Amino acid sequence: MKVCIIGNGGREHALAWKLHHSPSVTDVYVVPGNAGMTSIATVVNLDWKNRDTLLAWLLDYKIDLVVIGPELPLVEGLSDAIRAEGIPVFGPSQQASRLEGFKSFAKELMRRYEIPTAKYEVCQDVETGKGIIHQWGVPIVLKRDGLWGGKGVTICETFTDAERVLKEMLNSSEESVVIEEYMRGQEVSLLSFVDGTHVLPMIGARDHKRLLDHDEGPNTGGMGAYAPVPELDDTLVQVIVNT
């Protein structure tokens, strides 16, 4: 099987390494990849944003499976375009990718289907946002609505910080900001494989999101992670899957 991975980061490097060791895989290509991947994959100097060129290359090389790592190409519909050419893709459709690409969409879907989630409101103007902040109190969580590489969330400890961050977010390219109640506790991520009908969970993992030790500093795309997570037992996993 010939597999092509889209992306050039650590996530894609890990995928390439694992696929390289699979007895079912004969060739691993990475678009655009990076120099550190050359020992385990063929790095192809193509830009996934040049869709016509990429699709022509995939067909010419008779790629059997495409694995899309980053969120942006998924949100922009690359998986749909590749599937339309008859090539299987590991990665959600553009519609399903909205769950990751737009926090307001994800929160509204959870509210509609009564999936437990933190209390939230979506605001498009500063005055409305300030009213919500002062009504709920601090600490409070402000989230940029779009993709920000894991760096779009700010936990505000004071009203002054919350108002400043709200203005900065709405004065940037964001059309809306998700204001969310602050929930204190242990965090765990339970990533799962899904096909629209079945859910196959992986082992739980926990990110270290803050830049500094002791949960201090701004959020980052991730300073590290560990797995498994001791608090996530089989009973809790089943609750999450069923919910």
Side-chain angles (χ1 to χ4, degrees), residues 17 40-41 68 82 107 116 151-152 159 182 192 194 201 204 226 232 239:
W17 177 84
I40 54 174
I68 302 178
I82 296 173
K107 297 291 284 189
K151 297 179 282 292
F159 288 114
Y182 176 75
S192 303
V194 298
Y226 65 87
L232 189 64
V239 169

Side-chain angles (χ1 to χ4, degrees), residues 17 187 240:
W17 177 84
E187 179 186 27
I240 295 171

Side-chain angles (χ1 to χ4, degrees), residues 169-182:
M169 288 184 175
L170 287 174
N171 287 337
S172 65
S173 58
E174 293 301 317
E175 295 182 359
S176 61
V177 170
V178 175
I179 302 176
E180 192 174 86
E181 69 171 321
Y182 176 75

